[in-house]
């Protein structure tokens, strides 16, 4: 089925008791907002934490054509709060590294991100809203592997590339399925989440769950949790961007979300950009991703031995942290890179810190493209 | 009067309507917890924001003896959430830079910190709790100048030294009273607060005010705001310490608060140290200080011209940021240092980031002492 056929938007903000297991409508999670995608059902999907998703649907966007020998496939898993949208808007294009005229690019929205099966999108009372099961990064990677094999007949990937939680999935792919990943490009993320990162993610989650409107996950509309979403966004403003981004007023050059929108001071930008973007999202979706992010760890595949896990990787790997990232600093990424055979550290430069991923700077996009082109040209 | 004579501790957690303007008891803000201090009344004190404190009392701790020509006085203003306690516990001692056998060291608790006049300590219904007026850094500095002059007869300071908000006050002293400050040592703070810092402080404050128990500032006991204080502490855990502090498990070597206390993982340390320390504090006191911190700016003295303000400084100044500080990074401090005539940048090294101020590492204390000794030996 296509995205357009999903639950129509309903003009209401409260639900009756009978409706509490109905999918919530949220215009943010539509093809109109995110760009076209398809839902592919994987059927019953057993999760590593012990839960089950009776019918797991992955929201998938593809760009380009799969060649005959199926050797030109690139997989892109999504980041926390993200969808496939930023990829087609910012990273893909003819002549770019991720060129749909050369490559078959498959962007898979992570489980619980609001497009793939998520707490607020399912009408299955067993898993709706507060009853949504816990999902690990490994679940996403297994689901993606099944999807690629069953739906597209893809057994090998020319590249897996992703940012942040997308980097977590990239690492998990390279460790879990070394024979299937020829090249890997984890951007601004780690293979094993750090304690600092765990604590940081918890502050994001607590900002949401502390809102009485969240109601233990049983809110009637995401807007009931507006205060929590605002606080969540405000913490991102502090950690997602860099001190220098704010000090130099780099936001003055950031393209507005809406035509004609202007920001005269940093408070305007915080309100008009950061709070607005994060404020459209679904609280339970963010919490599902947050829990997963906190536990990203490839060493689960090797009894806790990180060196052994990373030592398994046979993909040619470029580890690409941002120089100004406040919570995935280059040194954390470099420590992991050194455990990956034949890998290289390619530090990316963006004044925006972690949110460099949004692609505010052409210099960053050019830099990344150069690295990815070089990686894709590497014989493996 | 001495601290011991203040409101006795009361065994209750709720107040009647008549009692809502009574001082709240909080064992954290006692001489037993913080060490001896004296309260000095300055009488009616008009604030820069327009409010009035009818009887401003400053909580002052002194160490050593003032010499005959009153030339050996060192002033130490306190940081956000801090009191004089850390200074006598960690920074003062015979043979140290801040040696009470040589210097007369005056630690003044900032207005609203829970020991000096604060929302929860006053029984004046005009300013108690939610009605406490807004206080600027300049108010503290004016009050301290009056205190030193009227109570101690001190007209010149051999040194003003403070960390974080103490650095803000140090800068304000050096700009506002250049003839009175011979040497200045702002540690881990800025003369003009940055936008990032403003946003960061706001997340700390919102963590508190989003707790329904805060009740618009009219809680009956600080413990009513336990959830908010916990979230406030958790954000400090992310920003106050460094990623490396957590990654290297430096906390394993941190001295427990209570004898026999142990922490086996980072969650134990977060709970047993960070949440415990911040959880004892008063919400409105933290908010008073937070509002003040957000607005620290010496350029208020020169119509918004930062270079002009810093150019006024005649004190020999060592600007001392921490290398790992997440919100007062060395580059922000260096940019200001370059505007201060004859000043020097002395970067301090601590894996604890901003919380290096707590003095977890002897190496840091030795490093700071060496800088301060050199500064104090400089002829001015």
């Amino acid at each position: 089925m296509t995205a357009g056929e999903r639950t129509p938007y309903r003009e209401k903000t409260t639900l009756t008791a009978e409706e509490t297991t109905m999918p919530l409508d949220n215009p943010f999670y539509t093809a109109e907002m995110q760009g076209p995608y398809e839902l592919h059902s994987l059927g019953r999907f057993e999760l590593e934490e012990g839960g089950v998703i009776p019918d797991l649907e992955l929201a998938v966007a593809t760009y380009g054509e799969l060649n005959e020998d199926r050797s030109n496939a690139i997989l892109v898993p999504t980041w926390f709060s993200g969808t496939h949208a930023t990829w087609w808007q910012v990273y893909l294009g003819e002549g770019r590294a991720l060129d749909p005229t050369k490559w078959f690019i498959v962007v898979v929205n992570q489980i619980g991100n609001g497009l793939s099966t998520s707490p607020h999108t399912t009408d299955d009372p067993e898993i709706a809203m507060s009853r949504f099961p816990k999902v690990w990064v490994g679940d996403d990677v297994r689901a993606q592997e099944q999807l690629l094999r069953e739906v597209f007949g893809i057994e090998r990937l020319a590249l897996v590339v992703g940012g942040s939680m997308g980097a977590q999935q990239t690492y998990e792919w390279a460790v879990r399925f070394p024979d299937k990943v020829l090249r890997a490009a984890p951007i601004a993320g780690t293979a094993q989440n750090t304690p600092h990162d765990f604590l940081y993610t918890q502050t994001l989650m607590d900002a949401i769950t502390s809102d009485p409107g969240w109601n233990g996950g049983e809110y009637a509309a995401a807007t009931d949790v507006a205060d929590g979403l605002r606080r969540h966004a405000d913490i991102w403003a502090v950690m997602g961007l860099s001190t220098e981004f704010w000090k130099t007023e780099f936001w003055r050059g950031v393209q507005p979300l809406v035509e004609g929108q202007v920001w005269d001071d940093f408070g305007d930008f915080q309100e008009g950009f950061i709070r607005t973007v994060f404020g459209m999202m679904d609280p339970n979706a963010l919490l599902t991703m947050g829990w997963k992010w906190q536990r990203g760890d490839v060493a689960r595949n090797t009894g806790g031995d990180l060196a052994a896990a990373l030592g398994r990787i046979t993909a040619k790997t470029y580890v690409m942290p941002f120089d100004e990232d406040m919570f995935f600093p280059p040194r954390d990424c470099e420590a992991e890179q050194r455990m990956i055979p034949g890998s290289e550290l390619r530090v990316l430069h963006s004044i925006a810190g972690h949110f460099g991923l949004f692609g505010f700077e052409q210099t960053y996009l050019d830099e990344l493209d150069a690295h990815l082109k070089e990686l894709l040209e590497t014989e493996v």
Side-chain angles (χ1 to χ4, degrees), chain A residues 38 58 105 132 159 207 253 294:
Chain A
E38 292 193 343
L58 291 182
I105 300 159
F132 201 74
L159 172 68
Q294 289 181 303

Side-chain angles (χ1 to χ4, degrees), chain A residues 21-68:
Chain A
T21 58
M22 297 285 286
L24 264 62
D25 299 308
N26 184 327
F28 184 71
Y29 301 107
T30 59
E32 289 70 35
M33 280 291 283
Q34 305 297 335
Y37 62 91
E38 292 193 343
L39 286 172
H40 292 285
S41 169
L42 299 187
R44 176 183 166 87
F45 197 84
E46 297 188 357
L47 300 164
E48 297 185 358
E49 185 69 2
V52 172
I53 297 178
D55 180 23
L56 174 61
E57 291 184 309
L58 291 182
V60 182
T62 66
Y63 310 90
E65 301 292 331
L66 187 61
N67 61 12
E68 208 157 320

Side-chain angles (χ1 to χ4, degrees), chain A residues 4 44 60 92 97 100 109 123 162 170 181 185 191 208 220 222 268 283 295 304 309 322 337 348 355 370-371:
Chain A
R44 176 183 166 87
V60 182
L92 273 57
N109 289 275
D123 56 6
T170 299
V181 184
I208 293 170
D268 289 347
R295 289 159 182 81
F322 279 113
Q337 178 263 317
L348 299 166
F355 281 179
H371 289 311

